[in-house]
Amino acid sequence: MAGSLKVGHEFTSEINKKYKVKKFLGSGGQGEVYEVTSGKEKYALKWYLPHVATSQQYEILEDLITKGAPDSSFLWPKDLIKDGKDFGYIMDLRPPEYLNMFELLKRRVEPSFRILCLIGFNIAKGFRELHSNGWCYRDISWGNLFINFNNGKVLICDNDNAVPNNSDLGNIGGTPRFMAPEIVLGKDKPSTNTDLFSLAILLFYLFNIHHPFEGKLEDKIHCLDPHAMKEIYGTNPVFIWDPNNKSNRPVPGYQQNAIDFWELYPQFFKDIFTHAFTEGLHNPQKRSTEGQWQSTCLKLLNSIIYCNNEKCGVENFYDQKLIKIGVGCTCWNCQRIIPSPSILLINNDLIVLSKETNITQHHANNDFNIDNIIGKVVQNPNNPNQWGIKNLSSEIWTFIKPGGQSILVDPGKYFPLIKGSIINFGINKAKIY
Amino acid sequence: MAKLPGGELSNRPLHFFWIADCSGSMFGEKIASLNYAIRDVIPSMREAAKANPNAQLLIRALKFSTGATWLTNKPINVEDYEWEDLEADGLTEMGKAFNLLADQLTMPPMPERALPPVLVLLSDGQPTDVYTPGLKRLKELPWGKKAVKVAISIGNDAILDMLEEFTGNRELVLNAKNSADLVNMIKWASTLAKQVSSPASKVSGEDPIIIDLNTIPKSSDDGEIW
């Protein structure tokens, strides 16, 4: 299918840069996207449909370009192109390794839970950056981001909807299924609080491959038309796992994902969704925040435990609450009991120690920096049965054995995983269980 | 081995119907344009369906002239759907087409749970049979009422009122004045599957979940008679 701009057409931008249309990439509700070149550089051009190309939208774009992207996880407007009354903006092209989220929802990619945790963390981080800069995104949905399923990095696009929070600018209300009930019912305008609601929906889709309000109430509707959608997502939204309202539980078979995923997760992870879709549902001030989602995604990442059955080996989650009451961890895939792992307890957060575990700067400093890896679980090269943690930081750590003997661990050296010992990372201390 | 439990996102079937007038007056350029345009949009419908986890898109076509016939016995998954060129000859027995449609929009064969069906009617002339009982029957069925109904008049202003009886909404009666219009309108109609099942971002303040009327192509005004 072709777009309205001709291939080969040349434009000069507002900063006098020349661009040439190379090919039509796709279209959406607001306009069309093209690949364009400027010299040897390739970019994407979003070209608005006439009814969206308003002078207000033009001013919003000018403001976005002046202020610049909050960080590198945004495909942010960079330059403006005008042609009579029509206009569009230039942004970076999506790198090919970044895919749409529908690839996951259709199960054409199969990331690990570890990657899902990183994706969730990075999505929350991106919107936290945007919100902390005073912007409201207005249209969080799975259609507006791209994901690298190999490393969990994300790219947030369609940032031309972003406007200063609580301003009257912008005309986008959101995407059906993601809009907060007060927006569906036309009672409020988009804000960072309604963004938080849409973020919770997006994260529920990511971790459950299901919508949090699609239970029995959706199942019994014959025709899912606009009136039915308004009822489910606006007038009478009921969280499928609402502890005080069981009227909308998922239907086995038809809504099986909701059941299969939910029962795997530790209680703290269920709690944040339950809060977001019960207390936070009609009370925008009580919605789960981006920072809470970041912490929770990291906590989930730290709870991953691998099934020790050689033929299975899938990821499971260690639920401290269940372990405390004597319930063991049973593998969801092969149904075998998984032996209790070694655990590092930092303040009140636990890290399950397994072959994939990295200790990050965040564990030492609580600063959400998970890119700087300061330690790694490794096998002792001289004794493969013995596991330890290698100090990958530039600091000297103090390792205290259960008997009280203190040993310095230089950068590049290991300390063994001995139950009852303590490691001092600097700001935080950790105990091995 | 799967790293995650479960399967793909639960979805609903979306039944999409092309209803094509193959009467003698469609002979020549009109039927050729219709064949070209529908064949041309199928790959785009397939691509859009691949990117839409909310729906399972099923397509069927019904032709009417002297009598009415389904081109396939069953609804076909868009991935396997191929357009078969139609030929024009005979009368315009649209009433028979409405009756066949009504048979298929009864439950069963329609499932208990689906997205609104999409019915796209393409015609260039007044029905030659008594069409009102068939249309009434179709519109009284629950799935008939809920269906998104769009009509494209092919070069004939005189049938717009009759087509409005089918759509129930003048804005959803499109008037193709030439073959370029017809191609654009069929292209737009093919996007209804996505609009109905996985609606895009909505402008603040409008009814949040409706067909985007802003995107309906306008007929060109070049005065060409077709």
Side-chain angles (χ1 to χ4, degrees):
Chain A
M1 201 180 271
S4 58
L5 297 180
K6 294 249 182 315
V7 169
H9 189 84
E10 289 189 344
F11 292 105
T12 302
S13 78
E14 297 299 283
I15 54 166
N16 269 327
K17 206 168 166 180
K18 287 193 167 35
Y19 296 93
K20 195 177 195 175
V21 177
K22 292 306 263 191
K23 66 177 174 191
F24 172 72
L25 296 176
S27 60
Q30 297 180 0
E32 298 166 335
V33 181
Y34 296 84
E35 183 183 312
V36 296
T37 51
S38 180
K40 285 184 176 171
E41 294 164 336
K42 287 181 178 177
Y43 295 98
L45 165 66
K46 177 166 172 179
W47 196 247
Y48 289 100
L49 292 171
H51 71 281
V52 191
T54 61
S55 56
Q56 192 193 66
Q57 185 62 56
Y58 193 84
E59 284 167 22
I60 290 171
L61 284 167
E62 283 182 319
D63 195 27
L64 289 166
I65 291 168
T66 307
K67 289 183 177 147
D71 72 13
S72 60
S73 53
F74 292 84
L75 288 174
W76 199 258
K78 289 189 148 179
D79 196 1
L80 272 164
I81 290 177
K82 222 174 172 184
D83 185 20
K85 282 183 179 173
D86 298 327
F87 61 87
Y89 70 88
I90 295 289
M91 61 187 147
D92 284 334
L93 271 176
R94 162 175 62 108
E97 63 273 24
Y98 282 79
L99 304 177
N100 289 88
M101 188 165 153
F102 60 70
E103 299 291 352
L104 170 70
L105 302 177
K106 289 259 193 182
R107 301 300 286 267
R108 289 192 289 247
V109 290
E110 196 69 11
S112 60
F113 276 114
R114 188 177 156 270
I115 292 290
L116 291 190
C117 293
L118 292 172
I119 296 168
F121 173 83
N122 283 321
I123 290 173
K125 177 173 172 270
F127 287 111
R128 186 170 181 224
E129 292 291 339
L130 189 85
H131 290 158
S132 65
N133 278 285
W135 301 94
C136 155
Y137 185 82
R138 303 175 73 100
D139 194 18
I140 297 177
S141 82
W142 52 253
N144 291 339
L145 80 158
F146 297 108
I147 299 171
N148 184 332
F149 287 100
N150 296 316
N151 61 15
K153 300 271 184 207
V154 301
L155 281 175
I156 297 165
C157 58
D158 281 353
N159 296 295
D160 49 329
N161 299 324
V163 294
N165 192 35
N166 293 325
S167 74
D168 287 323
L169 295 172
N171 61 0
I172 284 296
T175 297
R177 292 188 176 92
F178 286 86
M179 282 185 271
E182 65 268 27
I183 305 283
V184 178
L185 300 176
K187 289 181 179 169
D188 212 343
K189 60 182 187 185
S191 65
T192 48
N193 281 334
T194 64
D195 274 358
L196 288 180
F197 181 86
S198 308
L199 174 63
I201 299 270
L202 180 65
L203 293 172
F204 195 87
Y205 265 121
L206 177 71
F207 285 102
N208 297 274
I209 315 199
H210 196 77
H211 191 286
F213 302 150
E214 291 176 4
K216 228 179 259 174
L217 299 176
E218 185 262 329
D219 170 73
K220 70 180 185 193
I221 290 169
H222 289 300
C223 181
L224 193 67
D225 71 348
H227 304 289
M229 289 174 89
K230 197 167 178 175
E231 173 73 16
I232 294 168
Y233 312 117
T235 317
N236 184 30
V238 179
F239 180 42
I240 52 175
W241 300 112
D242 185 332
N244 300 314
N245 180 354
K246 294 182 179 172
S247 64
N248 197 25
R249 289 287 183 261
V251 174
Y254 174 49
Q255 295 159 340
Q256 192 63 36
N257 276 352
I259 300 165
D260 288 348
F261 279 88
W262 190 251
E263 54 189 33
L264 303 186
Y265 292 123
Q267 193 57 43
F268 71 85
F269 196 65
K270 295 175 181 174
D271 288 345
I272 189 169
F273 280 116
T274 305
H275 174 85
F277 299 126
T278 55
E279 274 187 82
L281 181 59
H282 296 299
N283 191 343
Q285 305 300 331
K286 288 198 171 170
R287 289 181 176 151
S288 306
T289 62
E290 313 87 334
Q292 288 173 313
W293 286 115
Q294 280 182 275
S295 296
T296 307
C297 288
L298 291 185
K299 216 171 151 181
L300 188 68
L301 179 71
N302 292 332
S303 305
I304 291 173
I305 171 173
Y306 292 86
C307 175
N308 66 333
N309 173 2
E310 278 177 17
K311 288 181 183 161
C312 179
V314 301
E315 296 163 290
N316 286 263
F317 297 100
Y318 180 87
D319 190 340
Q320 200 180 14
K321 275 200 170 172
L322 288 181
I323 303 293
K324 271 187 180 166
I325 57 168
V327 179
C329 183
T330 307
C331 174
W332 60 266
N333 188 43
C334 72
Q335 309 303 319
R336 291 206 196 176
I337 302 282
I338 304 170
S340 280
S342 291
I343 284 166
L344 204 58
L345 196 66
I346 303 178
N347 298 328
N348 284 322
D349 287 339
L350 63 83
I351 307 173
V352 171
L353 297 174
S354 65
K355 57 184 178 176
E356 298 269 330
T357 307
N358 289 327
I359 313 294
T360 66
Q361 185 179 310
H362 172 71
H363 292 125
N365 296 346
N366 308 320
D367 58 1
F368 290 132
N369 183 340
I370 58 167
D371 292 326
N372 185 20
I373 295 167
I374 61 167
K376 195 172 181 53
V377 173
V378 287
Q379 275 175 305
N380 181 342
N382 300 323
N383 177 5
N385 290 325
Q386 193 183 56
W387 290 80
I389 293 180
K390 185 176 183 180
N391 180 358
L392 298 177
S393 77
S394 53
E395 310 289 324
I396 298 170
W397 294 347
T398 314
F399 175 65
I400 305 161
K401 285 187 170 177
Q405 188 194 355
S406 183
I407 298 166
L408 294 181
V409 184
D410 286 329
K413 297 292 180 193
Y414 310 77
F415 65 87
L417 295 183
I418 300 173
K419 289 195 195 257
S421 53
I422 290 171
I423 183 78
N424 192 338
F425 293 125
I427 294 178
N428 281 332
K429 271 185 193 167
K431 190 165 183 183
I432 300 168
Y433 283 89
Chain B
M1 186 173 56
K3 293 178 185 165
L4 305 175
E8 65 178 280
L9 186 71
S10 67
N11 59 39
R12 288 175 173 240
L14 190 155
H15 290 267
F16 191 104
F17 298 83
W18 295 110
I19 307 143
D21 181 348
C22 294
S23 61
S25 57
M26 287 285 290
F27 185 79
E29 196 186 327
K30 288 181 184 175
I31 199 76
S33 288
L34 182 149
N35 281 324
Y36 163 78
I38 299 185
R39 182 188 297 283
D40 191 48
V41 296
I42 300 296
S44 310
M45 290 180 87
R46 218 172 270 147
E47 282 305 307
K50 267 190 196 168
N52 179 1
N54 295 118
Q56 182 200 351
L57 179 57
L58 300 160
I59 310 187
R60 242 179 304 188
L62 172 61
K63 63 174 184 178
F64 59 94
S65 53
T66 305
T69 326
W70 288 107
L71 297 183
T72 55
N73 291 330
K74 292 185 302 187
I76 307 284
N77 193 312
V78 65
E79 307 221 340
D80 304 316
Y81 190 81
E82 284 171 17
W83 182 252
E84 211 180 293
D85 273 353
L86 301 175
E87 290 176 9
D89 184 24
L91 303 173
T92 310
E93 295 188 334
M94 204 184 288
K96 288 194 172 146
F98 290 145
N99 269 311
L100 280 188
L101 257 181
D103 292 344
Q104 290 301 308
L105 287 174
T106 307
M107 201 165 67
M110 268 301 280
E112 289 271 334
R113 207 169 40 217
L115 286 155
V118 177
L119 316 181
V120 182
L121 172 63
L122 303 124
S123 179
D124 77 334
Q126 288 287 354
T128 52
D129 60 352
V130 182
Y131 68 91
T132 44
L135 182 57
K136 186 166 179 277
R137 194 181 144 223
L138 174 69
K139 295 190 84 169
E140 280 175 354
L141 287 169
W143 282 116
K145 274 185 209 158
K146 288 291 186 188
V148 171
K149 296 173 280 286
V150 170
I152 301 174
S153 152
I154 306 174
N156 186 350
D157 291 353
I159 60 166
L160 299 180
D161 289 343
M162 183 269 134
L163 293 178
E164 189 182 340
E165 280 182 60
F166 168 73
T167 64
N169 178 347
R170 190 63 172 222
E171 284 189 279
L172 296 178
V173 179
L174 282 57
N175 190 8
K177 290 184 175 166
N178 52 48
S179 58
D181 280 357
L182 181 63
V183 170
N184 279 335
M185 288 168 181
I186 285 177
K187 195 189 279 184
W188 176 79
S190 75
T191 67
L192 287 169
K194 163 92 173 51
Q195 292 191 44
V196 165
S197 58
S198 202
S201 311
K202 293 293 168 194
V203 170
S204 205
E206 71 179 10
D207 191 343
I209 314 163
I210 52 164
I211 290 175
D212 189 353
L213 299 174
N214 286 307
T215 60
I216 297 179
K218 304 282 179 280
S219 52
S220 55
D221 198 14
D222 57 6
E224 186 187 340
I225 307 294
W226 187 43

